[in-house]
Amino acid sequence: MWIVEEYVVESVEKKWWKESVVYQIYPRSFKDSNGDGIGDLNGITEKLDYLKELGVDVIWLSPVYQSPGDDNGYDISDYRAILEEFGTMEEFDRMLQAAHERGIRLVMDLVVNHTSDEHPWFVESRKSKDNPYRDYYIWRPARMGKEPNNWGSCFSGSAWEYNEATDMYYLHLFSKKQPDLNWDNPRVRNEVYDMMNWWLDKGVDGFRMDVISLISKKPELPDGKPGINGYASFNEPANGPHVHEYLQEMRRRVLEGRDTITVGECSGVTLEEAKKYARSDEKELNMVFQFEHMDVDADGTNKWSDKKMDLRDLKHIMTKWQKGLEGIAWNSLFWENHDQPRSVSRFGNDAEYWEESAKMLATCLHMMQGTPYIYQGEELGMTNVPFGDISDFRDLDSINAYRELTGQGVFTPEEMLRYLRYKSRDNARTPFQWSDEKHAGFSSGDPWIMVNPNYKTINAREQMTRENSIFHYYQKLIRIRKQYDIVVYGTYDLLLPEDPELYAYTRTLGEEQLLIVCNFYGNTRMFTLPDNWELGKTELMIGNYKDFKPEKELVLRPYEAVVLRKNGGK
């Protein structure tokens, strides 16, 4: 037994959600069953066998609730109704049952930092200062004739919107159509817990909690450090004074006694805070999404750039989280989600070494300790999109940033379009590429957003029939994870921290050890096996080139990845 700060750790307890692989579905872009150009629930049901074949255990479903669609479903007007474009509650129930029949659990996206401004609570709240729902949201008077503080919205501009009827401002850390709930009001928390219990009673298996680290704000709402647009980051309220108290209350009121999986999207989370959110005693959440590695290619505090990362920075960040949470809390592992560009275009090479680098990135991530998350299309190596003009974009974040930063003269339109092609969330939101048929087999109608033109060569049908495809490589990684406990529970240790091109680390469980070596660049590199690795007792577990042979001096080709295992026990 050893002690880390105030946490006592004896061993890593086995849990099904640690051994699982999660697949995120963005419903609008996954599969359209009725030809209206928008993905839907019946489309998901139709493709469950595909996910079963891939081998995933859990689906994380981005929001399907009733919503005006200002932020593509993350602005919810009714938490207990399905958006008509996606289908009906009966179709949801059928999809849930079909997933369960295939041994796949389903996680709902819980968006409770804010609602839509069309939610009945806010419709009432904005009417008058003495309305019973007024305190469901965060209202403040003007400060010296202006906004109450300098907080900025995630989607550009101020995080405050003036309401003329009551001569006050309401807080919206996201769109002005997404007013922040006041979690300090116990009635709000009761409403949220009732709704969560309603979904769990229906049979869902847990929640991915959207920006859950932002729910508790300091009562004084202090100013923050302004960024390039003049406003403080929307992350300013992160890890507020009561956030852990409220999540522990949620655990008692909703999650206790239920076999769920919970992951919190924790903007602005620190390692020390993550130990509280995802601690092993399960008083709060099972794991968190942290985003430090998603800022590795930012230009200071500005994400809008096409700067390439320094691999040494990525290794430092990933290792900090691997070692920092070891035995204390649990990591989530991801390169992509609905808010990030495509990883093979961002961290790999989506041209000459497209297939090799997509497999390398998968190897590097899936061999770490934590629960891996695959975003739809990542298992095919789907790439960023050659958007031609701002009119091709649908994402509120991208469109608002373009208007604000070109309008202020921070970037020229040409510069901003270049950055959007590299970093826009819409890169991940174009239709799933099912086949080389019209609209990539996504829909018989015109899709709501453009299809990536490379669907003729990058699509599921082609990859499922080709033995050495990226799809089958992901399938093998998932199988290995289920076969070897060391992949889930082994400790992580970094090698060569200052090497600018190779990411090498070990995993250790008892006497067993794995060695993972990934070349992140297009050069050939040499790697010398550690002294305690004997060639006669070393086997290749998985690699992304066919003809690899273990040698004491490994010659790693461009974007090559290998996982070596010392022969011996499971």
Side-chain angles (χ1 to χ4, degrees):
M1 183 176 78
W2 67 98
I3 296 177
V4 184
E5 297 175 341
E6 69 267 39
Y7 302 95
V8 179
V9 182
E10 300 202 6
S11 64
V12 178
E13 188 180 359
K14 289 192 174 185
K15 294 283 186 180
W16 65 263
W17 43 263
K18 294 178 180 178
E19 299 166 9
S20 296
V21 175
V22 184
Y23 188 94
Q24 183 188 357
I25 289 179
Y26 194 72
R28 183 171 293 273
S29 300
F30 191 61
K31 184 65 172 80
D32 172 25
S33 69
N34 61 6
D36 66 356
I38 296 169
D40 48 45
L41 296 174
N42 286 340
I44 296 170
T45 305
E46 179 188 325
K47 294 298 184 180
L48 287 173
D49 285 338
Y50 167 84
L51 298 180
K52 178 70 174 172
E53 185 168 346
L54 180 60
V56 299
D57 308 281
V58 181
I59 291 169
W60 153 23
L61 191 64
S62 283
V64 292
Y65 315 96
Q66 185 61 47
S67 165
D70 188 59
D71 185 25
N72 276 3
Y74 283 86
D75 50 316
I76 297 167
S77 55
D78 187 343
Y79 288 98
R80 304 190 197 202
I82 299 294
L83 180 64
E84 195 173 330
E85 291 173 337
F86 292 155
T88 65
M89 190 61 78
E90 290 71 28
E91 287 164 345
F92 175 89
D93 291 340
R94 188 159 61 246
M95 177 195 68
L96 179 62
Q97 181 180 345
H100 285 167
E101 286 169 355
R102 289 161 176 79
I104 299 174
R105 291 174 164 96
L106 187 108
V107 164
M108 296 295 282
D109 215 320
L110 184 76
V111 188
V112 289
N113 174 72
H114 46 265
T115 69
S116 166
D117 67 343
E118 297 181 34
H119 193 290
W121 300 340
F122 191 74
V123 171
E124 289 298 313
S125 183
R126 72 194 313 169
K127 285 180 179 177
S128 66
K129 293 179 181 178
D130 58 359
N131 189 284
Y133 288 91
R134 183 67 169 185
D135 199 36
Y136 271 47
Y137 297 87
I138 298 171
W139 293 92
R140 292 292 187 275
R143 185 179 69 173
M144 294 182 288
K146 296 170 119 182
E147 292 88 354
N149 69 17
N150 74 343
W151 293 359
S153 159
C154 177
F155 300 146
S156 306
S158 172
W160 295 94
E161 182 71 9
Y162 181 64
N163 171 243
E164 192 173 348
T166 60
D167 189 29
M168 289 182 80
Y169 289 84
Y170 67 84
L171 180 68
H172 60 90
L173 294 176
F174 295 86
S175 153
K176 67 181 180 181
K177 288 185 65 63
Q178 293 170 288
D180 278 50
L181 285 164
N182 176 18
W183 271 70
D184 292 336
N185 182 346
R187 290 176 62 202
V188 168
R189 302 200 301 277
N190 288 339
E191 298 267 19
V192 170
Y193 304 153
D194 286 349
M195 176 268 292
M196 292 173 70
N197 276 311
W198 186 84
W199 280 103
L200 290 172
D201 289 344
K202 184 177 272 291
V204 306
D205 300 287
F207 298 99
R208 174 265 182 186
M209 302 183 187
D210 188 66
V211 295
I212 202 70
S213 58
L214 303 181
I215 59 174
S216 173
K217 284 82 171 174
K218 291 178 182 175
E220 61 273 21
L221 305 182
D223 281 345
K225 182 181 177 182
I228 62 168
N229 64 356
Y231 295 102
S233 167
F234 78 99
N235 276 335
E236 195 63 36
N239 313 310
H242 300 292
V243 65
H244 298 292
E245 175 189 329
Y246 295 157
L247 288 176
Q248 288 171 35
E249 181 182 61
M250 179 191 290
R251 170 67 58 181
R252 292 192 303 272
R253 297 277 301 278
V254 180
L255 302 168
E256 213 156 77
R258 296 185 188 263
D259 190 18
T260 57
I261 175 172
T262 54
V263 54
E265 182 194 29
C266 291
S267 308
V269 72
T270 63
L271 183 62
E272 295 313 305
E273 287 294 323
K275 292 174 185 177
K276 302 172 190 172
Y277 285 113
R279 61 200 210 185
S280 57
D281 64 6
E282 291 189 70
K283 293 288 187 187
E284 296 185 21
L285 307 173
N286 297 145
M287 65 194 95
V288 299
F289 289 131
Q290 59 83 17
F291 296 93
E292 198 174 346
H293 65 304
M294 292 290 102
D295 295 330
V296 74
D297 54 359
D299 184 9
T301 59
N302 171 40
K303 75 172 179 178
W304 298 114
S305 80
D306 55 4
K307 173 189 166 190
K308 289 290 186 179
M309 69 157 179
D310 184 323
L311 180 64
R312 291 167 292 191
D313 294 337
L314 179 70
K315 292 193 287 188
H316 170 75
I317 292 166
M318 300 300 274
T319 302
K320 179 178 98 171
W321 286 89
Q322 286 284 300
K323 298 306 291 182
L325 296 189
E326 186 178 287
I328 298 168
W330 196 248
N331 274 292
S332 62
L333 305 172
F334 73 96
W335 293 133
E336 295 185 21
N337 60 35
H338 63 292
D339 286 334
Q340 303 295 336
R342 291 294 184 177
S343 57
V344 70
S345 299
R346 185 180 189 181
F347 302 129
N349 178 324
D350 62 8
E352 184 182 2
Y353 296 108
W354 160 71
E355 190 156 313
E356 292 86 353
S357 64
K359 292 175 180 177
M360 181 277 292
L361 288 168
T363 308
C364 185
L365 191 78
H366 281 243
M367 286 295 138
M368 292 185 188
Q369 188 183 79
T371 298
Y373 287 73
I374 300 169
Y375 178 74
Q376 62 183 47
E378 185 180 352
E379 77 281 9
L380 306 178
M382 281 180 62
T383 69
N384 277 359
V385 184
F387 295 108
D389 185 75
I390 192 62
S391 62
D392 289 334
F393 292 86
R394 299 291 178 269
D395 173 36
L396 187 70
D397 182 33
S398 301
I399 295 166
N400 285 358
Y402 178 87
R403 289 173 181 161
E404 181 177 59
L405 296 174
T406 60
Q408 292 179 358
V410 177
F411 301 121
T412 66
E414 293 74 22
E415 285 173 326
M416 195 62 200
L417 279 172
R418 191 169 82 242
Y419 301 152
L420 288 173
R421 290 185 196 106
Y422 187 58
K423 282 284 186 71
S424 171
R425 305 191 301 179
D426 276 341
N427 284 297
R429 298 179 179 189
T430 56
F432 189 96
Q433 293 162 215
W434 288 106
S435 70
D436 61 359
E437 296 171 357
K438 189 177 180 182
H439 304 318
F442 163 73
S443 175
S444 59
D446 292 332
W448 69 278
I449 188 173
M450 69 178 280
V451 176
N452 194 324
N454 63 17
Y455 73 90
K456 292 281 188 182
T457 53
I458 300 177
N459 63 72
R461 179 186 291 171
E462 187 277 331
Q463 294 203 24
M464 291 178 79
T465 56
R466 182 163 54 87
E467 186 181 346
N468 67 338
S469 68
I470 299 169
F471 174 90
H472 283 116
Y473 195 85
Y474 268 84
Q475 194 181 53
K476 187 174 181 181
L477 281 170
I478 293 169
R479 279 202 304 267
I480 288 172
R481 182 179 181 80
K482 296 183 188 310
Q483 186 177 352
Y484 296 97
D485 282 352
I486 188 172
V487 178
V488 181
Y489 297 110
T491 56
Y492 162 106
D493 289 288
L494 180 68
L495 306 176
L496 308 179
E498 297 307 317
D499 191 297
E501 295 180 332
L502 297 183
Y503 196 149
Y505 62 93
T506 59
R507 299 291 306 282
T508 306
L509 187 66
E511 298 301 311
E512 189 180 7
Q513 194 166 55
L514 303 180
L515 173 64
I516 298 91
V517 189
C518 299
N519 183 358
F520 264 72
Y521 293 92
N523 312 314
T524 298
R525 282 294 311 272
M526 300 297 293
F527 176 84
T528 305
L529 285 183
D531 292 340
N532 62 336
W533 281 74
E534 300 174 37
L535 277 181
K537 295 182 179 179
T538 298
E539 64 180 9
L540 177 68
M541 183 182 271
I542 188 171
N544 63 344
Y545 278 78
K546 276 189 190 175
D547 52 350
F548 173 84
K549 290 180 183 175
E551 303 284 354
K552 191 67 179 175
E553 293 285 335
L554 298 181
V555 180
L556 289 165
R557 289 158 286 190
Y559 296 96
E560 185 162 12
V562 295
V563 180
L564 302 178
R565 178 174 175 256
K566 284 185 180 178
N567 290 337
K570 190 174 175 182

